[in-house]
Amino acid sequence: MKVTEHIEKANGKALFSFEILPPLKGQNIEGIYNTIDPLMEFKPPFVDVTYHREEYVYKTHKNGLLEKTVTRKRPGTVGICAAIMHKYKIDAVPHIICGGFTKQDTEDALIDLDFLGIDNVLVLRGDPIKSEKRFTPEPNGHAYAIDLMEQVKNLNEGIYLDEDLKYNSPTDFCIGVAGYPEKHFEAPNMKNDLYWLKKKVENGAEYIVTQMFFDNSRFFEFERQCREAGINVPIIPGLKPLSTERQLSLLPQIFHLDLPDALVDEVNKAKSKDAIRQIGVEWCIEQSKELIKNGSPVLHYYSMGKSKNIQKIARAVF
Ligand SMILES: Cc1cc2nc3c(=O)[nH]c(=O)nc-3n(C[C@H](O)[C@H](O)[C@H](O)COP(=O)(O)OP(=O)(O)OC[C@H]3O[C@@H](n4cnc5c(N)ncnc54)[C@H](O)[C@@H]3O)c2cc1C
């Protein structure tokens, strides 16, 4: 079922969903099940599975020579989606990205997803390769999420890359896109970022999932600006409980967000790792409750492969 249909069917009741990461190459799928199992009691209608592009890895050989290799550390997005649908009978939403994909690769990937019975895709540009500062599209690939979205939409209309195909069966993907309550880090300002977000919606995005944030007022302001700009699709807030002291600097660095004073002060005063984890959980519970009160259709938690904290939050909220 489409994410938008799940939202409609819920009739105003906030839904619980979460995102998981494929395991590191070499690990088995049990870790994924161990993350999902404790969260099933909160009846997630869909689970997102992230996509991780290739990285450069440098290996030093015995003779001292350095070898640069290209590897994908977390493959398996499509297989995990299929496994989740099979095992839990819920929808899996794969993330699809521009980075590392030609248009042909994308078409083939979408055909696989369609054959698997996947109804939704979260369409993203993807980050630059880890060791590079700027995002570079593949030759004959897509530069922005909106371009990748157009290919998905074309396929939904039966338009394939090869115009001479004898059969051109249309797909029917529901398209989600990313939004940034604290602005995407490359956007010159919020107005410009919202301009492109609106374009994504005008061009077929049916819902938005936001980057994580810790200050609800930033989300409410983002939501207000979206509505004022005429963006009327569901906006799903993305949430993550802070869990370690190190995240005070790591989260702003990686996700380009601000942490509120009150949260930072509490963490700085905490006496133990457990106390910090508890502060993060309580903060996220308060955020969740306020978001539900404000009418958010779904709360989407970034599990980062760990479910214990999210389970505690969901128990208090759903
Ligand atoms: C909910 C969520 C899930 C994510 N999952 C993944 C994942 O699984 N894998 C992964 O690699 N990354 C993931 N990311 C990270 C994401 O790929 C990065 O944030 C990336 O830098 C931007 O992706 P986007 O889809 O928002 O890009 P875009 O919508 O393409 O926007 C990128 C930047 O360009 C601007 N812009 C957009 N369109 C245009 C245009 N046509 N011309 C000029 N400027 C434009 C925007 O304002 C923005 O600053 C996720 C992010 C979120 C919020």
Side-chain angles (χ1 to χ4, degrees):
M1 210 158 115
K2 295 181 176 186
V3 166
T4 47
E5 290 168 343
H6 284 297
I7 292 174
E8 262 171 50
K9 210 176 122 202
N11 214 1
K13 185 175 177 294
L15 299 170
F16 166 78
S17 84
F18 59 95
E19 175 191 286
I20 54 168
L21 277 66
L24 286 167
K25 193 182 274 184
Q27 293 177 359
N28 62 29
I29 199 163
E30 289 309 316
I32 295 286
Y33 298 151
N34 292 341
T35 304
I36 298 179
D37 285 345
L39 300 176
M40 285 308 290
E41 65 174 287
F42 309 109
K43 300 194 172 26
F46 64 92
V47 172
D48 275 46
V49 185
T50 54
Y51 190 91
H52 299 259
R53 67 173 304 174
E54 74 280 11
E55 291 175 32
Y56 297 132
V57 176
Y58 295 88
K59 271 189 191 161
T60 314
H61 290 280
K62 280 188 187 136
N63 60 7
L65 283 180
L66 203 61
E67 186 194 1
K68 179 180 172 182
T69 54
V70 180
T71 184
R72 280 186 61 216
K73 289 188 177 169
R74 292 182 186 272
T77 302
V78 178
I80 291 169
C81 285
I84 290 174
M85 288 164 67
H86 179 69
K87 186 170 161 68
Y88 299 99
K89 314 286 180 237
I90 59 174
D91 282 299
V93 183
H95 293 186
I96 59 170
I97 64 171
C98 306
F101 279 75
T102 64
K103 290 177 189 167
Q104 202 62 55
D105 295 334
T106 297
E107 184 167 283
D108 294 349
L110 290 169
I111 289 171
D112 276 340
L113 299 180
D114 183 48
F115 286 174
L116 280 171
I118 284 171
D119 292 327
N120 306 277
V121 282
L122 191 73
V123 176
L124 303 143
R125 187 194 69 182
D127 280 325
I129 292 186
K130 271 208 174 111
S131 49
E132 294 181 351
K133 282 222 159 75
R134 287 173 65 95
F135 175 82
T136 315
E138 286 299 295
N140 195 30
H142 298 294
Y144 293 102
I146 196 168
D147 307 324
L148 172 54
M149 244 184 63
E150 194 185 333
Q151 188 175 2
V152 180
K153 271 201 61 193
N154 278 342
L155 216 60
N156 278 351
E157 287 168 25
I159 303 168
Y160 287 70
L161 295 172
D162 179 355
E163 290 167 6
D164 299 327
L165 278 189
K166 204 164 161 210
Y167 303 103
N168 56 345
S169 154
T171 55
D172 188 20
F173 292 112
C174 172
I175 300 172
V177 291
Y180 301 83
E182 299 181 57
K183 187 181 88 59
H184 183 257
F185 69 103
E186 290 167 26
N189 57 37
M190 197 64 182
K191 191 173 161 207
N192 197 266
D193 208 19
L194 285 174
Y195 171 84
W196 288 114
L197 182 58
K198 186 171 180 204
K199 283 268 174 232
K200 290 198 277 193
V201 172
E202 284 170 350
N203 283 276
E206 290 163 82
Y207 68 97
I208 296 166
V209 184
T210 78
Q211 183 57 278
M212 66 180 75
F213 57 90
F214 292 81
D215 181 348
N216 279 358
S217 69
R218 302 294 288 263
F219 174 82
F220 295 140
E221 177 56 15
F222 168 75
E223 195 177 46
R224 190 193 65 73
Q225 288 183 335
C226 284
R227 299 311 182 212
E228 202 175 276
I231 298 171
N232 290 316
V233 296
I235 303 179
I236 300 177
L239 296 166
K240 181 200 139 41
L242 184 134
S243 54
T244 63
E245 188 178 10
R246 200 164 118 71
Q247 288 177 355
L248 287 184
S249 57
L250 219 52
L251 296 174
Q253 196 185 330
I254 299 175
F255 299 108
H256 308 277
L257 48 82
D258 270 352
L259 293 170
D261 281 348
L263 176 60
V264 176
D265 288 349
E266 272 194 67
V267 172
N268 281 335
K269 274 189 252 153
K271 300 264 187 299
S272 69
K273 286 182 178 167
D274 277 350
I276 293 176
R277 219 167 293 129
Q278 191 53 28
I279 290 166
V281 165
E282 277 163 22
W283 188 272
C284 196
I285 289 173
E286 289 315 306
Q287 274 193 280
S288 303
K289 285 183 175 168
E290 194 181 23
L291 288 160
I292 290 181
K293 219 165 126 196
N294 194 60
S296 289
V298 184
L299 301 192
H300 188 66
Y301 295 88
Y302 293 108
S303 78
M304 310 254 177
K306 299 204 175 81
S307 49
K308 219 169 156 191
N309 288 356
I310 295 181
Q311 189 186 36
K312 280 189 196 162
I313 295 160
R315 281 220 173 109
V317 174
F318 290 93

